[in-house]
Amino acid sequence: MTTRKTTTDPSLASYRLRPRQLGAVVALLVLVTACSSDEPPEAAPTTATAGPATTAAGTEPPGTTVAPPAPTELLTAALANYADGYEFSTTTTVNDQEVSTQTGRWLDGASYVTVESGDGVVEFIITDAGQWTRLPGEEWEELEGTASTGYPLEGMDNPEAIVLVSTTDDRITLLATYTAGAVGLSGDPVDVTLAFAGESLVGFSFTADLDGTIVSSDTSLAPLIDTSPITAPTG
């Protein structure tokens, strides 16, 4: 294993792992300052009907509409469910052209990420012992700099505002507004759409106008399937 000295921010691998730096790779790609959308729209009308009392079995009678959880409570609980680990996949587009996909998993403060852009593929490992990168099949190279190994989704738990947009069957959509700094950009606040299946956060996305360059990112989240430890490479 070789060591490469570089001052490059390893956000190329991890910006999708750390929502507070969602736009880091985008900023590197387009080299411009962020400008976000206008204020978030008002929540779509959602009616919650009280209905008759529940049956003895604890189920709601037919025709009863159950109110969804409060947006803040729903988001907080969903993020807590991923505190031990999760898998993710992100697609980033610039002016409607796909520029990269990032897939990987985060577990116990460590992450493994594969970044694909065009015909290129780069792998990253980030642990409390350091951070490494390689092309598939080649030796790992250690990167300089301090690795960020905290809970990557923690920053999503503190939006400036959050509203309910829609509910359909078990699908719930929220719109959260974050400071630009919270998503790795500069400028005005950024609106992030949060998608839920029941009470599980299954994805989030945003679109930003960066001085005329339209950047979109779409991330899906899921519980861990591969729970094997993520460790520093050897050899």
Side-chain angles (χ1 to χ4, degrees), residues 105-230:
R105 60 193 180 100
W106 178 84
L107 174 65
D108 294 334
S111 56
Y112 170 79
V113 189
T114 298
V115 179
E116 298 184 38
S117 182
D119 295 331
V121 179
V122 183
E123 298 172 272
F124 292 84
I125 289 178
I126 303 171
T127 75
D128 57 5
Q131 47 200 347
W132 296 262
T133 184
R134 73 173 181 181
L135 299 176
E138 297 189 5
E139 289 188 346
W140 288 100
E141 298 181 2
E142 187 171 4
L143 299 173
E144 289 191 336
T146 302
S148 176
T149 57
Y151 178 36
L153 301 181
E154 182 178 10
M156 295 186 72
D157 197 23
N158 190 32
E160 289 193 323
I162 185 168
V163 295
L164 174 66
V165 175
S166 65
T167 60
T168 304
D169 297 327
D170 69 337
R171 297 286 173 168
I172 300 173
T173 302
L174 305 180
L175 186 68
T177 302
Y178 295 91
T179 63
V183 297
L185 301 174
S186 61
D188 296 334
V190 177
D191 295 336
V192 179
T193 299
L194 307 170
F196 293 79
E199 297 185 2
S200 297
L201 179 63
V202 295
F204 54 89
S205 61
F206 76 91
T207 297
D209 183 343
L210 308 183
D211 284 356
T213 298
I214 305 303
V215 176
S216 297
S217 291
D218 191 346
T219 295
S220 61
L221 299 172
L224 280 172
I225 296 176
D226 181 359
T227 58
S228 59
I230 301 171

Side-chain angles (χ1 to χ4, degrees), residues 37-123:
S37 58
D38 295 332
E39 291 298 316
E42 295 295 327
T46 302
T47 303
T49 305
T54 59
T55 65
T59 59
E60 295 290 339
T64 300
T65 302
V66 180
T72 300
E73 295 175 359
L74 178 62
L75 177 59
T76 297
L79 293 174
N81 288 337
Y82 286 131
D84 292 331
Y86 61 90
E87 297 181 356
F88 71 93
S89 178
T90 296
T91 299
T92 302
T93 62
V94 175
N95 291 334
D96 294 326
Q97 298 294 316
E98 183 176 313
V99 295
S100 67
T101 60
Q102 304 88 41
T103 58
R105 60 193 180 100
W106 178 84
L107 174 65
D108 294 334
S111 56
Y112 170 79
V113 189
T114 298
V115 179
E116 298 184 38
S117 182
D119 295 331
V121 179
V122 183
E123 298 172 272

